[in-house]
Amino acid sequence: MTTSDRREHLRTAMSARVKVIHEELGEHIFPTRDISDGGIFIALEGVSFAPNLGDRVVVQVQGLPVPAPTLNMVVVRKTEEGYGLQFALDCE
């Protein structure tokens, strides 16, 4: 781990589509770029979506033969390409 990379979990490239539900910004479908034990990174790809760091969202993988479970996540990182979402440890 370098000083510029503070991630504590190994990332694995993963291409999937996820629905992200934000209380104020609504529902959007995004592609994922990677996943780790701590969370996922979603790529914006031209979609207007601008949550604040710390905002809570609900995420659900799309395109499976049965509905996937929904996961509570927190916006923890923003880049020009998208957002890093961390799995929420609580169930609020």
Side-chain angles (χ1 to χ4, degrees), residues 14-50:
M14 183 184 87
S15 179
R17 300 204 67 78
V18 294
K19 176 169 43 175
V20 176
I21 305 167
H22 186 282
E23 189 173 279
E24 296 173 5
L25 303 176
E27 283 185 19
H28 299 279
I29 303 291
F30 298 104
T32 61
R33 188 170 75 186
D34 58 53
I35 189 168
S36 73
D37 287 344
I40 63 171
F41 185 88
I42 58 170
L44 292 182
E45 292 191 344
V47 175
S48 177
F49 182 71

Side-chain angles (χ1 to χ4, degrees), residues 6 13-15 17 20 23 27-28 37 46 49-50 58-60 63-64 72 76 78-79 82-83 89 92:
R6 300 177 312 182
M14 183 184 87
S15 179
R17 300 204 67 78
V20 176
E23 189 173 279
E27 283 185 19
H28 299 279
D37 287 344
F49 182 71
V58 176
V59 177
Q60 183 183 42
L64 300 177
N72 294 314
V76 294
K78 178 185 188 300
T79 72
Y83 289 90
L89 299 177
E92 289 181 43

